[in-house]
Amino acid sequence: MVISLLTGIWWFIRGIGLLVASVFALLKGLRLTFTKFFSRPVTIQYPEKKREVSPRWRGIHYFERDCVACGLCVAICPSQCIRLVAVEQDDGERYPETYEINTVRCIYCGMCAEACPVNAIKLGRNYEFVDYQREALVLDKERLLANAPEEV
Amino acid sequence: MWDTKVAPRKLKKQFPNAVLETLSFRGEETVQVKREEILPICQYLASDPDLSFDFLTDICGVDYPDNEKRFEVVYHLYSMRRKTRLRLKTVVGEEESLSTVESVWKAATWFEREAYDMFGLSFDGHHDLRRLLTWDGYQGHPLRKDFPVRGEDFDRYEMPAEPLDAFSIMPEEDADERQMVLNMGPQHPATHGVLRLVLKLDGEVITDAVPYVGHLHRGVEKLAEGMSYTQAITLTDRLDYTAGICNNMSYCLAVEKLLDVEVPKRAQYIRVIMAELQRIAAHLLWLATHALDMGAMTVLFYCFRDRETVIDILEDITGARLTPSFLRIGGLAADLPEGIDKKITAFLDDFPRLIKEYETLLTKNIIWLKRTKGVGVISPQEAINWGLTGPVIRGSGVKWDIRKAIPYSSYDDFQFVIPTGENGDVYDRYLVRLEEMRQSARIVRQALKKLPKGRIRTRDPRVTPPAKADVEKEIHALIRHFKVMSEGVSPPPGEVYCSIENPKGELGWYLVSDGTSKPYRYRVHTPSFVNVAALPEMIKGHLVADVVAVIGSIDIVLGEIDR
C-alpha cells in the first residue's frame, strides 16, 4: 500500500518535471522563432515576383538557327520525344520537314543540345509552360523558332 | 591491402568439386559455383574467421535465354574486416530451384523475394517467398528478356486484378481478440512516399509488421536494357530523387570501371564537391521531414530555407534543381561556372550557424529525446546481418563508410571522420547525420581549396566527344562527334560492381556488358531497399507512433526501393 502510494507520488513528481522540461524546451524553440520574426523573409511572392533562374537552366526548347536534320538529337534522346522527318532538296541541302518535340514526354536532360553539331536546338530559361490541351504542348518547327529569346 | 585472390583460392581448396571456375576482371574476383553447393559455400564464407564475408551486399539474377541453363544468380559479398568484395555466381535452369541463404544473412530475404518476383527463380526453404515489387497474382516476370518493355508489345491487356493481399494479410489462425490488424499507408504522409505497412497490434504495441513495397515500380532496370549507356544516366536521377548527383556519380563510376577509363583529377574533385553538397541537401530534407513527422514543424521551414541555398548552387552548376543528369561517362557535362566558389564558400561559412539553429530546436529538447531515445534499436551484429548501410549502420556503431573503406573519386585526398553512434536508436542516427553534414561541409571546403586545373573529361576518344568548336571546323572531329553521340560507348564484355556512399547508404551498380552499346544487365543496389527490409525488426515492441519515428530515421525514398 505504502509502496504503491510512494510510486504514485514518484510518478506524479516525474510527470510535473517532464511537463516543466517540455514547456522549457518549447520556450527555447520559441525564442529562436521570435528572433526570426525580425529578419527578412526568404520566400518570393511567386506570380508577382519571379525567380531568376541560372544561365544554364534547362527549360523550354528553342531553335537558335536552322536545323540541318542530321538526327543526332533523335538518336540520343532518352525519352524519345523528338519526331523528325528529314527531306533533301534538289541542291542536296537537308532540312527537317517536320520537327516536333513533345514537351510532355521530354525530361529536360539537355542531351539534344549537347549532341547538336550545329548548335541549333537549345534549352532556354523559360519554365512557365502550361496549357489546357496536351496537343498544344507539342512544339513544332515554327514555335521552336519563335521561342528563341530576344538578343540583348 | 588484403589480397583479393585469397578468397577464391581458399574456396577452391575447401570445395574442390563445387567450384567450377574463378575469374578476375577489373580487380574483381568472381567464383562460379555449383547450384547445389551454394548454401554450404555461403556458410563457409560467412563463418570462416579468416575470410569473414559477414555482409551480403546484393543478390540478383541475370537472364540468358539462349543458354542451356537460363538464369544466373549473382551474390555480392563483402567482408567488413578485410574490406574486400567477392562475387559468387551459379547457374540455374528454368525449372530448377536453389537453396536460400536466409539462414546465413537475413539481408537475403528481400533480395531472394525480388529475384523470385523479377525472374521467377525459386528458393528452397525461404520462409516467405512472395512477390515483392509486383503484386500477388501478377502474371509474368518483368526482368526476363522475353518480357516486353512497352505496353504496345503485350499480347494482352488486362486490368490489374485486385491483389490477393490487398486486405487480409495476417494469418488469422492465432489471432486472439486482443490483436488487431492495422493498415498504414500507402497514402500516409509519414511513410515518405507510397510505403504500405501492415501492423499487427496488441493494444498499441506492435507485435508484427509487414511492409508492402512496389507501388512506384516502373522497371528502371528493364528500361535501361533498351537504352545506351549515356542515355541511362537520366534514369539514375530518378531513383533517389533527393540526391541526383550522387546517383549519377555511382552509375558513371561503374561504367568507367567497365571501360577502364580514368577521370581527370579536376572532374573528380568537382564530382566530390557536388556530391557532398548534394549530401547536405539530402540530409537537410531528411531532417526537415523527420522532425515534421514528429511534430517539430519549425525545423521544416529552416531546413528548407537552407536546402534552397544548396539547390541554388547546384542549379547554377547543372542547370536543374532535382534531376541534374550532369555527370557524363568519363567526366562532367560542363565545368564549374564563374564565381560559383564564392557562393559555395558563403554558404559554408554560414552553415555552422544554421546547424546550431536546428540543434537549438532538437538536440537537447526533452520532447525530442523522449520520442527518439531507445526507439528502433538495432544492434551492430544485427545491422551487419541485415546488410544495412549508410547512417543506419553507423548509428549502430559500425564504422563503415565506403568513402573510407574503398575510396573512389579521390576521397582519400580529403580529411574527414566517420561519425558513429552507440545505441543504434533513432536519436543516434539523428546525431550521425548531423555530424555527416558538418563533415561534408569540411570536404567541400578542402576540395574547393585544392581544386586542380585541367580537363573535365577524359581524353579517351571512345568516350569523350570532341569539343564543339572543333566539330564545326574539322571533319575528323565531326565524324567522331557523330559516332560518340549516336552509338554511345561500347564497353568490352564483362561485369563490374561499383558502389558509392550515397546520403542514404551504399548505392551500387552491377553492370553486365555483352560488348554492345546497351547494358545487358543494369542492376541497382539501393540503400533504402535493404534498410526498409529491416524495418519490422526495428519497430517490433514499440508503439504505433514510434513507427513514424523509425521510418523517418532510416530515411527511405520509395523511388529507389521500387525502382
Side-chain angles (χ1 to χ4, degrees):
Chain A
M1 185 65 196
V2 178
I3 291 170
S4 71
L5 190 72
L6 279 178
T7 39
I9 291 170
W10 162 241
W11 278 105
F12 182 73
I13 294 170
R14 207 164 165 251
I16 297 277
L18 261 181
L19 191 72
V20 171
S22 310
V23 170
F24 181 72
L26 283 177
L27 286 178
K28 202 172 152 196
L30 270 177
R31 196 178 65 182
L32 180 67
T33 315
F34 190 70
T35 56
K36 293 287 161 210
F37 199 65
F38 300 103
S39 62
R40 251 180 346 146
V42 291
T43 44
I44 301 170
Q45 297 299 322
Y46 165 59
E48 290 89 37
K49 257 179 96 181
K50 276 176 193 162
R51 190 175 158 271
E52 189 68 17
V53 293
S54 114
R56 290 187 178 176
W57 184 261
R58 304 197 299 254
I60 289 302
H61 320 69
Y62 65 91
F63 269 158
E64 198 166 65
R65 47 177 287 189
D66 281 335
C67 162
V68 293
C70 67
L72 266 192
C73 50
V74 182
I76 204 157
C77 180
S79 58
Q80 297 165 15
C81 67
I82 306 177
R83 197 169 78 85
L84 167 75
V85 181
V87 200
E88 209 160 297
Q89 279 173 335
D90 294 338
D91 58 358
E93 198 166 306
R94 281 164 67 91
Y95 75 100
E97 192 178 54
T98 27
Y99 190 98
E100 283 178 356
I101 291 189
N102 188 342
T103 54
V104 187
R105 275 197 75 106
C106 176
I107 56 168
Y108 301 92
C109 62
M111 282 188 185
C112 48
E114 208 172 294
C116 186
V118 295
N119 290 328
I121 185 101
K122 286 272 166 85
L123 272 76
R125 292 174 71 197
N126 181 16
Y127 55 91
E128 293 169 315
F129 188 63
V130 286
D131 211 296
Y132 290 104
Q133 261 94 40
R134 282 187 195 161
E135 291 73 33
L137 294 170
V138 178
L139 295 175
D140 57 9
K141 228 175 6 174
E142 284 71 35
R143 285 180 70 191
L144 281 167
L145 279 167
N147 271 349
E150 285 148 36
E151 296 282 321
V152 184
Chain B
M1 187 73 196
W2 201 62
D3 188 7
T4 48
K5 293 223 184 338
V6 173
R9 218 162 37 220
K10 281 195 87 168
L11 209 55
K12 219 168 184 173
K13 215 167 133 195
Q14 192 76 18
F15 299 92
N17 299 324
V19 175
L20 301 173
E21 200 184 353
T22 57
L23 289 166
S24 181
F25 183 71
R26 303 269 187 259
E28 294 181 5
E29 299 300 321
T30 310
V31 182
Q32 181 107 27
V33 299
K34 270 190 185 155
R35 172 177 62 88
E36 296 83 3
E37 298 286 320
I38 192 75
L39 185 60
I41 286 177
C42 285
Q43 276 164 344
Y44 169 71
L45 285 171
S47 59
D48 186 81
D50 199 28
L51 302 172
S52 68
F53 283 96
D54 45 2
F55 191 88
L56 174 72
T57 306
D58 196 26
I59 299 177
C60 67
V62 188
D63 183 13
Y64 297 96
D66 300 333
N67 287 8
E68 185 199 347
K69 290 198 170 183
R70 186 170 170 178
F71 300 108
E72 210 166 63
V73 184
V74 186
Y75 298 74
H76 285 96
L77 313 180
Y78 180 74
S79 166
M80 283 280 174
R81 215 170 102 228
R82 301 291 183 195
K83 294 189 169 51
T84 44
R85 292 191 191 287
L86 179 69
R87 183 183 299 125
L88 281 185
K89 286 203 316 194
T90 179
V91 284
V92 185
E94 204 165 350
E95 302 301 322
E96 292 172 341
S97 64
L98 74 169
S99 175
T100 174
V101 293
E102 242 188 337
S103 53
V104 189
W105 305 284
K106 285 178 188 165
T109 310
W110 272 35
F111 288 131
E112 287 178 348
R113 274 181 70 184
E114 196 195 353
Y116 164 73
D117 188 0
M118 293 291 132
F119 290 95
L121 294 162
S122 73
F123 294 88
D124 287 335
H126 192 288
H127 84 280
D128 184 25
L129 199 63
R130 285 176 296 127
R131 281 183 179 268
L132 184 69
L133 297 176
T134 57
W135 57 89
D136 259 358
Y138 184 77
Q139 299 291 313
H141 301 284
L143 280 181
R144 288 189 177 186
K145 287 281 174 188
D146 47 14
F147 194 87
V149 185
R150 293 149 64 97
E152 300 150 35
D153 301 335
F154 273 86
D155 53 354
R156 61 199 153 91
Y157 177 76
E158 57 177 334
M159 291 294 284
E162 195 164 271
L164 299 171
D165 54 12
F167 299 105
S168 68
I169 319 92
M170 291 287 176
E172 290 289 322
E173 303 93 63
D174 57 336
D176 60 73
E177 67 252 41
R178 276 179 63 82
Q179 291 200 333
M180 168 182 171
V181 172
L182 181 74
N183 189 57
M184 186 173 177
Q187 303 292 337
H188 190 290
T191 54
H192 294 223
V194 277
L195 169 71
R196 174 164 164 246
L197 274 176
V198 176
L199 307 170
K200 194 151 112 184
L201 303 174
D202 178 6
E204 211 191 333
V205 178
I206 295 156
T207 55
D208 201 2
V210 184
Y212 284 83
V213 297
H215 298 86
L216 282 181
H217 179 64
R218 54 215 184 271
V220 166
E221 291 175 10
K222 182 86 179 172
L223 281 174
E225 288 171 11
M227 285 183 168
S228 74
Y229 283 93
T230 316
Q231 288 175 336
I233 294 174
T234 57
L235 289 174
T236 65
D237 293 322
R238 289 150 178 84
L239 293 169
D240 173 4
Y241 38 77
T242 65
I245 292 280
C246 302
N247 301 351
N248 283 182
M249 182 152 137
S250 180
Y251 171 68
C252 286
L253 284 172
V255 181
E256 281 151 15
K257 195 171 181 186
L258 199 54
L259 280 158
D260 204 11
V261 165
E262 178 78 19
V263 180
K265 209 74 174 163
R266 182 178 174 86
Q268 292 188 9
Y269 274 53
I270 296 175
R271 281 179 178 190
V272 168
I273 291 172
M274 289 201 295
E276 293 304 320
L277 284 172
Q278 187 83 75
R279 187 186 312 275
I280 293 175
H283 279 359
L284 283 174
L285 182 73
W286 156 80
L287 182 59
T289 49
H290 184 38
L292 180 71
D293 286 345
M294 297 208 263
M297 199 170 187
T298 320
V299 185
L300 171 90
F301 297 124
Y302 293 169
C303 288
F304 265 79
R305 175 196 65 194
D306 307 329
R307 179 173 175 265
E308 191 69 17
T309 323
V310 188
I311 297 283
D312 277 351
I313 292 169
L314 289 175
E315 181 197 316
D316 277 352
I317 303 174
T318 65
R321 294 169 67 79
L322 209 60
T323 53
S325 298
F326 184 67
L327 269 56
R328 294 288 180 272
I329 296 155
L332 306 160
D335 207 336
L336 289 180
E338 283 289 311
I340 194 74
D341 46 341
K342 281 201 191 71
K343 266 192 174 177
I344 300 176
T345 321
F347 169 73
L348 293 178
D349 289 341
D350 207 18
F351 195 52
R353 182 182 66 82
L354 302 173
I355 290 195
K356 222 171 173 180
E357 276 185 7
Y358 322 138
E359 290 221 274
T360 313
L361 290 168
L362 297 176
T363 304
K364 285 184 183 152
N365 187 329
I366 185 86
I367 308 169
W368 182 257
L369 292 172
K370 284 266 160 202
R371 287 295 308 271
T372 54
K373 279 226 163 182
V375 175
V377 179
I378 192 150
S379 68
Q381 294 79 25
E382 283 283 288
I384 292 174
N385 201 248
W386 273 103
L388 302 187
T389 63
V392 183
I393 196 168
R394 287 195 287 275
S396 296
V398 182
K399 202 166 185 167
W400 181 58
D401 189 316
I402 301 172
R403 289 176 293 176
K404 287 263 192 203
I406 311 169
Y408 54 89
S409 198
S410 300
Y411 264 105
D412 36 2
D413 293 2
F414 309 116
Q415 308 221 316
F416 60 101
V417 291
I418 312 170
T420 49
E422 281 162 13
N423 308 320
D425 56 5
V426 174
Y427 186 67
D428 277 9
R429 285 171 222 146
Y430 158 78
L431 289 182
V432 163
R433 285 204 181 88
L434 276 190
E435 186 54 34
E436 260 179 36
M437 284 201 270
R438 289 197 196 94
Q439 295 299 332
S440 290
R442 206 174 137 198
I443 297 172
V444 175
R445 214 184 270 277
Q446 291 174 44
L448 266 181
K449 208 170 153 194
K450 290 200 245 174
L451 187 64
K453 290 198 166 52
R455 297 168 60 87
I456 50 146
R457 290 187 87 153
T458 166
R459 277 184 199 280
D460 198 320
R462 289 175 302 165
V463 182
T464 311
K468 270 281 174 75
D470 295 342
V471 173
E472 285 166 18
K473 276 183 275 171
E474 279 184 56
I475 186 71
H476 300 96
L478 184 65
I479 292 171
R480 199 149 66 79
H481 180 84
F482 265 76
K483 199 168 148 49
V484 173
M485 286 299 178
S486 59
E487 284 175 14
V489 295
S490 304
E495 53 192 345
V496 291
Y497 178 81
C498 185
S499 65
I500 70 159
E501 188 70 31
N502 223 35
K504 296 182 175 50
E506 177 185 1
L507 175 75
W509 256 268
Y510 170 58
L511 290 173
V512 180
S513 163
D514 57 350
T516 61
S517 63
K518 289 171 181 174
Y520 188 81
R521 179 82 169 96
Y522 176 99
R523 160 77 183 167
V524 199
H525 166 79
T526 56
S528 297
F529 184 85
V530 285
N531 289 351
V532 83
L535 180 66
E537 194 71 16
M538 292 190 218
I539 58 177
K540 261 176 215 170
H542 290 292
L543 305 179
V544 177
D546 293 334
V547 176
V548 172
V550 177
I551 292 178
S553 80
I554 61 175
D555 193 15
I556 50 170
V557 163
L558 270 294
E560 67 173 7
I561 294 174
D562 301 344
R563 299 192 291 286

